[in-house]
């Protein structure tokens, strides 16, 4: 298909040193939770991105030596020649579609704990590791520095042998080269202290890498253009003058910022293209191509940044995860088909937990190899079954879309007069979650293209109606309801006295009920809900006390680079916060709290309580019918979870219709 004329510039080839990218779509290195343990999974993710039109596809961070080990976080490795084959697999998958393959060589320095390798970690000075392990690094001697240069050179040569086109020198974030570059590096030798000295190792590494592989491979630098940003005026400190000194040495600048919570900001706090103010100067000081990220999903923003000379490439991690076919869709002018990233960061925490990547919008992410799922294609139907999907939330919508694409006869019945379920309610009524509506919107746009999928709104179906419909299969996707009685992680039984208190749930708040103040929000859920409800009620002028048994507000969001921003916002708004505390009992107007460590109790005033503890699956219809008809529970109505889990469940239901039950494929360690 011919390219939409307006966007032609995005599809021009761009030279990067000795290689040429076929277009300006550049998937920057990002974690996939696959690492060296799951090379097939990783290679397939990359192959699909190349198939979807990304002109450059990069690996996750790749350790060059056992002294750089962040396990249990998953990382790629290139420690010896045996590792070359795993990487060659990725390169072959990427080259098959005409894209360039990039590898981000990495040494974490003092951040590493080396739990797997048991090597001592290394740094310009001896410093505690980043993770809460009692580890401190060894101050690198000149001999260590020489060894490090050798490891990097050897890794670059292996990368070249694996077939990579772009090889990174990683000067970004908080890793080894950034530790040397930091003004905290006060070594007394030629690698510390002065500005030039702190850059010396980077310079040497760039020269080494260019000499070793620069004849056929481009050498890229990942570089932080600004210090810890904390929003507001960008602080460039030495970042600009250092880049100026190295400006023409690498073949490409991949620009980031030190502050992950900005670079990888959730949509609740950070909007599209947010790095522009921090890095727009870079192209003024180098003639080399520049790429940056910005959770770009709008083709107009991409176009503007390229046309205005802010960047040469449209860089992406999350947009390429949510839609591996984003470039192809832009080229073909299929804008309504773009599955836009919602900025929830659900793709991020699992790498830390050594689980493969997943995505709220793209249920196939991470399943390309092990289940053979493709983000755009699905097998045609294998029977003439008639399917009834009850409930039009993320699970029901996803099931209907993909069953419809398979050409099954599908009817979707929804009780409300609008589709989207929790996504519609949460995005419309809770602060900062507006972009989450994209989960609904993409699916509605797809359903428009599937006129044979019958949609019934305002249709609360009961057991008799389900039986009367005579579907061959029924998917119950009726969601879940927040519990009022306080049962959750800490309390297996209802909290004593809850019926005497004025208790509400997030469902009530989303329905527009405004509690009386002072209001106590009890968060034993630990994800986003407690925090957003607190923000909403405080912004409405109520006195709010947030109580949580955890040591932090919304503690699971720590893995999303979001937690600190949430807590800061609540503090700024004047929400009172009581951590490490649980509700022991309730009475009219009062709550008894206990410290989770000492058990010491105290009473607080609470005209109302919003209970954010756990949800009750809406599965009554299932229990009524499961012995009589072919019915299954899908999504929150089966096991209440995240939006991503509900979408995945709906997708899986559609994929597995009329399929044999098979265990997914596993990357296996070689046993010799
Ligand atoms: P999930 O995240 O699993 O998709 P949601 O709670 O987002 O769950 O969506 C469930 C949807 O099911 C809601 O839109 C709700 O209105 C709808 N629903 C619940 N019970 C019925 C029912 N008996 N008949 C039709 N729709 C229902
Ligand atoms: Fe975007 Fe969320 Fe998917 Fe990550 S998980 S790519 S943030 S939609």
């Amino acid at each position: 298909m011919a390219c939409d004329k307006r966007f032609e510039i995005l599809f021009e080839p761009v030279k990067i040193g000795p290689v040429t990218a076929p277009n300006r779509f550049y998937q920057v290195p990002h974690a996939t939770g696959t690492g060296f343990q799951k090379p097939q999974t990783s290679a397939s993710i990359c192959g699909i991105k190349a198939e979807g039109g990304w002109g450059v596809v990069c690996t996750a961070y790749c350790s060059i030596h056992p002294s750089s080990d962040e396990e249990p976080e998953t990382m790629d490795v290139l420690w010896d020649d045996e590792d070359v084959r795993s990487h060659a697999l990725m390169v072959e998958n990427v080259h098959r579609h005409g894209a360039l393959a990039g590898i981000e060589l990495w040494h974490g320095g003092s951040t590493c704990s080396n739990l797997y390798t048991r090597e001592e970690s290394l740094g310009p000075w001896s410093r505690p590791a980043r993770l809460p392990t009692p580890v401190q690094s060894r101050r690198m001697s000149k001999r260590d520095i020489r060894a490090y240069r050798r490891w990097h050179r050897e890794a670059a040569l292996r990368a070249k042998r694996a077939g990579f086109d772009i090889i990174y020198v990683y000067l970004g974030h908080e890793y080894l080269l950034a530790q040397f570059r930091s003004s905290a590096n006060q070594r007394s030798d030629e690698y510390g202290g002065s500005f030039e000295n702190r850059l010396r190792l980077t310079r040497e590494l760039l020269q080494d890498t260019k000499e070793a592989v620069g004849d056929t491979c481009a050498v890229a630098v990942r570089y932080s253009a600004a210090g810890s940003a904390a929003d507001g005026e960008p602080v460039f400190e030495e970042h600009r003058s250092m880049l100026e000194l190295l400006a023409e040495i690498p073949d490409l600048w991949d620009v980031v910022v030190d502050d992950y919570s900005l670079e990888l900001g959730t949509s609740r706090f950070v909007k599209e293209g947010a790095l522009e103010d921090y890095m727009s100067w870079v192209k003024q000081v180098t003639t080399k191509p520049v790429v940056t990220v910005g959770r770009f999903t709008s083709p107009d923003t991409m176009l503007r940044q390229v046309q205005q000379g802010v960047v040469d490439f449209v860089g992406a991690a999350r947009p390429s995860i949510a839609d591996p076919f984003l470039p192809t869709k832009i080229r073909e002018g299929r804008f309504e088909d773009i599955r836009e990233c919602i900025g929830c960061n659900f793709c991020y925490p699992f790498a830390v937990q050594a689980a493969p990547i997943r995505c709220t919008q793209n249920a196939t992410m991470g399943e390309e190899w092990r289940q053979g799922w493709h983000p755009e294609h699905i097998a045609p139907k294998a029977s003439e079954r008639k399917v009834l999907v009850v409930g039009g939330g993320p699970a029901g919508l996803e099931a209907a879309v993909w069953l419809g694409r398979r050409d099954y006869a599908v009817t979707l019945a929804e009780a409300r007069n609008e589709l989207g379920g929790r996504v519609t309610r949460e995005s419309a009524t809770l602060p900062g979650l507006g972009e989450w509506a994209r989960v609904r919107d993409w699916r509605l746009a797809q359903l428009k293209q599937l006129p044979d999928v019958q949609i019934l709104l305002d249709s609360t179906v009961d057991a008799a109606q389900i039986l009367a419909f005579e579907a061959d299969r029924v998917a119950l996707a009726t969601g879940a309801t927040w519990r009022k009685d306080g049962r959750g992680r800490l309390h297996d039984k209802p909290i004593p006295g809850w019926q005497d208190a004025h208790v509400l749930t997030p469902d009530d708040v989303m329905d527009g009920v405004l509690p009386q103040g002072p209001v106590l929000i009890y968060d034993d859920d630990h994800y986003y809900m407690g925090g957003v409800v607190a923000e909403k009620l405080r912004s409405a002028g109520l006195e709010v006390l947030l109580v949580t048994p955890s040591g932090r507000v919304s503690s699971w969001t720590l893995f999303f680079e979001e937690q600190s921003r949430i807590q800061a916002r609540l503090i700024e708004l004047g929400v009172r916060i009581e951590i490490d505390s649980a509700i022991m009992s309730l009475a009219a107007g009062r709550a008894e709290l206990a410290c989770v460590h000492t058990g010491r109790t105290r009473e607080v005033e609470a005209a109302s309580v919003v209970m954010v503890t756990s949800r009750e699956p809406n599965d009554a219809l299932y229990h009524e019918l499961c012995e009589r008809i072919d019915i299954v529970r899908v999504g929150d109505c089966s096991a209440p979870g995240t939006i991503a889990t509900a979408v995945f469940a709906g997708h899986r239901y559609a994929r597995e219709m009329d399929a044999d039950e098979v265990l997914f494929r596993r990357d296996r360690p070689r046993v010799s």
Side-chain angles (χ1 to χ4, degrees), residues 593-630:
L593 307 183
C595 166
V596 294
H597 304 297
T598 64
R600 237 176 258 146
T601 60
R602 71 183 189 96
E603 270 205 354
V604 292
E605 196 189 342
S608 30
V609 176
V610 181
M611 214 54 101
V612 189
T613 56
S614 66
R615 285 177 292 156
E616 191 66 29
N618 300 331
D619 59 0
L621 284 171
Y622 173 80
H623 292 292
E624 220 177 318
L625 295 170
C626 66
E627 299 298 328
R628 300 170 66 185
I629 59 169
D630 189 344

Side-chain angles (χ1 to χ4, degrees), residues 167-185:
I167 297 179
Y168 271 71
V169 170
Y170 196 170
L171 178 54
H173 302 122
E174 55 197 324
Y175 299 124
L176 185 59
L177 284 178
Q179 291 156 25
F180 270 94
R181 189 204 64 195
S182 159
S183 56
N185 169 14

Side-chain angles (χ1 to χ4, degrees), residues 318-319 321-322 340-347 358-361:
R318 288 172 294 174
I321 295 167
E340 291 181 290
C341 167
I342 69 167
C344 61
N345 279 10
F346 201 71
C347 47
R358 60 210 65 192
C359 169
T360 300
Q361 276 283 55

Side-chain angles (χ1 to χ4, degrees), residues 38-83:
K38 299 186 183 72
Q40 306 262 17
T41 306
S42 172
S44 287
I45 292 172
C46 295
I48 289 276
K49 302 245 192 108
E51 185 190 338
W54 295 88
V56 178
V57 179
C58 296
T59 59
Y61 68 165
C62 178
S63 169
I64 60 163
H65 186 263
S67 58
S68 178
D69 153 34
E70 277 199 331
E71 285 229 340
E73 215 161 309
T74 47
M75 63 196 170
D76 288 356
V77 306
L78 206 39
W79 293 344
D80 65 18
D81 290 350
E82 281 197 39
D83 293 323

Side-chain angles (χ1 to χ4, degrees), residues 110 214 248 301 360 386 613 631:
S110 296
E248 297 302 312
T301 310
T360 300
K386 183 171 129 185
T613 56
I631 183 169

